Amino acid sequence: MSSKEAFQNEMDDFSSNSACYYMLNHAKDAISEIFSTKLQNYKNAKLAYLTSQEVEDVFNHDGTVYTGSAGLAFYYLMSSFGKNEECNEILQKALEYVDLNNLKGRRISFLCGDAGPLAIATVISYKLGQQRPDSLPQYGHLAKRLMNLTSLLNESPDELLYGKVGYLFAVLFVNKHISGKEIIPVNHIEQIIASILKSGKQFSQQMKSKSPLLWQWHDKIYLGAAHGMAGILYMLLQARAYIHVDDVRSFLKPAVDWLLSQQFPSGNYPSSLESASGDRLVQWCHGAPGFVPLCILAYQVFEEEKYLKIAIHCGDVIWQRGLCTKGYSLCHGVSGNAYAFLQLYQATKKPAYLYRACCFLEWCAVERPGAELHKPDRPASLFEGLLGRIYLVEDIINPLQSKFPAFCL
């Protein structure tokens, strides 16, 4: 059975006598060997298919992280971390999917713009060191190209997929993975943040909002992670080391509180302010799943229990209504929803959340007939297609280290 947006979840929850406990180990603090082997086999088979010639051609027309070849580069880069012996080999593989010669020069963000391929190439160049091929510029040169994208700052929106916080992620990502060097200077990061805060304050005043920060995209006040306030505020909180503590307290915290007050009684969130669509969408881009990381980080930063309670409420909504009929994608499907459970597991260490994440991943891996009513436009890609599921498999094997791609630093 299903509603228009989600299939009814008929899986046993953790508290019941589930036949699916084979997914977790005896201590219930990691996945079991049996399930891990099953997932590794799935990942290897799907990755072999994804990198076959017939599918590679699909990536050649799009160099972005979101739907194109840079998504595969990002996957390989992230999977290289912690693999000392194979690291350089994996990084060389990642390079095959970075195209720096056909950047469009129009979009600033990590996911859908030039910042993604440039940031990925910068980190790969640094990590390869002396083994960097001549065709790949030195990492300092690539970082300068990344910084030059500030020329697009004023004409860009503020949201994650196409806008300024997507650019903010890119520069924070580079600094995080080029340790011990301030490759992107503090004042550059502060300039990006100042631009985001300025537009948030101005639009709030224009709308006479109760929130001290408010942003719009395409003439709508979106609330979710992809285009809206949840994504913007989450990225700003991750960058709080570059924001004055008074601004965090006087602007970010009350904006978070206002945003979280927009919750439906069900625990879900509207896609936009005064949305006509109502309480329908339970997916990372629009709805409760994209609010979980914000709530958890707010709980960690402000040390108020109310934020964790909201995150837990969101988790229950996702378990009940998160088997999206749209399919398995990270952006608007079941894989993206599984990450909310991984984030809750990291915050609470409760095995129920790891179990729920495993259930959602298995739903995606089994691919039951009729479980994807809307075929993705780009079925191989990171955010719409198969690569997102492969990325989730990699993450669920090490759940405490997992991070929603291009969103969680």
Side-chain angles (χ1 to χ4, degrees):
M1 286 184 63
S2 70
S3 69
K4 188 177 180 183
E5 303 297 337
F7 295 100
Q8 185 174 326
N9 185 355
E10 296 177 349
M11 294 181 277
D12 292 331
D13 203 354
F14 186 77
S15 59
S16 57
N17 186 20
S18 173
C20 294
Y21 280 167
Y22 79 91
M23 295 172 175
L24 303 187
N25 66 6
H26 184 70
K28 296 186 171 49
D29 60 359
I31 65 172
S32 68
E33 233 176 279
I34 294 171
F35 195 50
S36 178
T37 301
K38 186 176 178 181
L39 292 182
Q40 292 281 14
N41 292 339
Y42 170 84
K43 183 189 78 173
N44 293 338
K46 294 298 186 183
L47 201 54
Y49 164 73
L50 207 57
T51 52
S52 63
Q53 189 60 50
E54 58 179 305
V55 182
E56 272 193 6
D57 290 341
V58 175
F59 285 119
N60 290 338
H61 306 292
D62 182 345
T64 69
V65 174
Y66 186 87
T67 48
S69 60
L72 203 44
F74 185 66
Y75 165 77
Y76 279 120
L77 171 59
M78 298 305 287
S79 64
S80 74
F81 297 151
K83 296 178 182 171
N84 294 334
E85 290 179 12
E86 307 167 68
C87 180
N88 281 1
E89 187 183 331
I90 299 171
L91 290 172
Q92 296 282 3
K93 185 74 177 170
L95 263 187
E96 295 175 24
Y97 299 98
V98 180
D99 182 3
L100 299 178
N101 298 319
N102 292 298
L103 299 182
K104 308 293 186 194
R106 293 197 302 268
R107 288 179 178 161
I108 200 171
S109 69
F110 186 92
L111 279 171
C112 295
D114 291 359
L118 283 169
I120 291 165
T122 303
V123 175
I124 293 172
S125 179
Y126 172 74
K127 296 280 184 189
L128 283 174
Q130 297 297 319
Q131 295 189 32
R132 172 179 61 88
D134 292 339
S135 57
L136 179 65
Q138 196 267 345
Y139 71 89
H141 174 75
L142 289 166
K144 282 179 182 170
R145 285 185 65 182
L146 179 62
M147 289 169 62
N148 288 340
L149 291 177
T150 47
S151 62
L152 299 171
L153 202 60
N154 291 337
E155 64 193 64
S156 298
D158 296 284
E159 49 82 85
L160 181 75
L161 255 63
Y162 303 105
K164 296 172 195 171
V165 295
Y167 183 45
L168 178 58
F169 175 86
V171 296
L172 294 173
F173 177 81
V174 166
N175 271 8
K176 177 179 179 179
H177 295 291
I178 301 184
S179 55
K181 298 175 187 287
E182 191 191 272
I183 187 73
I184 309 292
V186 168
N187 64 353
H188 187 85
I189 297 171
E190 289 175 343
Q191 180 189 355
I192 302 166
I193 292 168
S195 179
I196 298 165
L197 290 175
K198 181 182 176 183
S199 56
K201 290 172 185 176
Q202 286 178 342
F203 188 61
S204 167
Q205 289 167 359
Q206 180 187 326
M207 298 301 291
K208 298 181 172 57
S209 174
K210 290 180 180 177
S211 171
L213 297 169
L214 201 69
W215 296 273
Q216 65 173 336
W217 185 72
H218 283 225
D219 300 322
K220 277 189 179 181
I221 299 167
Y222 281 96
L223 303 184
H227 302 298
M229 290 187 66
I232 296 170
L233 290 169
Y234 178 61
M235 203 61 65
L236 289 172
L237 275 184
Q238 289 187 98
R240 64 193 178 280
Y242 301 93
I243 305 174
H244 195 283
V245 66
D246 290 345
D247 281 343
V248 173
R249 287 283 168 186
S250 302
F251 288 93
L252 292 189
K253 186 177 188 297
V256 169
D257 289 341
W258 175 86
L259 175 64
L260 297 181
S261 74
Q262 305 304 308
Q263 193 173 35
F264 287 122
S266 70
N268 194 29
Y269 280 89
S271 60
S272 60
L273 202 60
E274 299 171 357
S275 168
S277 63
D279 184 359
R280 290 193 308 116
L281 304 175
V282 181
Q283 53 200 47
W284 172 78
C285 52
H286 301 296
F291 283 75
V292 169
L294 172 64
C295 292
I296 290 171
L297 186 54
Y299 166 66
Q300 292 164 344
V301 172
F302 303 122
E303 299 180 332
E304 293 181 23
E305 201 73 25
K306 66 178 182 180
Y307 298 116
L308 184 58
K309 286 181 180 175
I310 295 171
I312 288 167
H313 196 185
C314 287
D316 291 338
V317 173
I318 298 162
W319 178 248
Q320 292 155 12
R321 298 167 52 197
L323 295 176
C324 306
T325 57
K326 288 178 183 174
Y328 313 117
S329 74
L330 287 178
C331 185
H332 40 261
V334 183
S335 291
N337 291 352
Y339 269 98
F341 297 134
L342 288 178
Q343 289 149 357
L344 282 161
Y345 176 65
Q346 290 171 348
T348 66
K349 305 298 184 292
K350 290 184 177 178
Y353 292 119
L354 180 56
Y355 167 79
R356 286 178 173 187
C358 290
C359 288
F360 271 37
L361 172 53
E362 189 170 61
W363 172 275
C364 295
V366 170
E367 298 181 41
R368 292 176 181 86
E372 188 177 42
L373 300 187
H374 306 275
K375 297 292 182 187
D377 294 332
R378 299 164 189 85
S381 67
L382 179 60
F383 267 70
E384 290 186 4
L386 177 58
L387 182 54
R389 277 172 271 164
I390 295 171
Y391 199 106
L392 175 60
V393 167
E394 192 88 35
D395 264 352
I396 214 165
I397 290 168
N398 299 292
L400 292 176
Q401 281 74 51
S402 66
K403 296 179 189 299
F404 193 104
F407 191 48
C408 302
L409 284 158

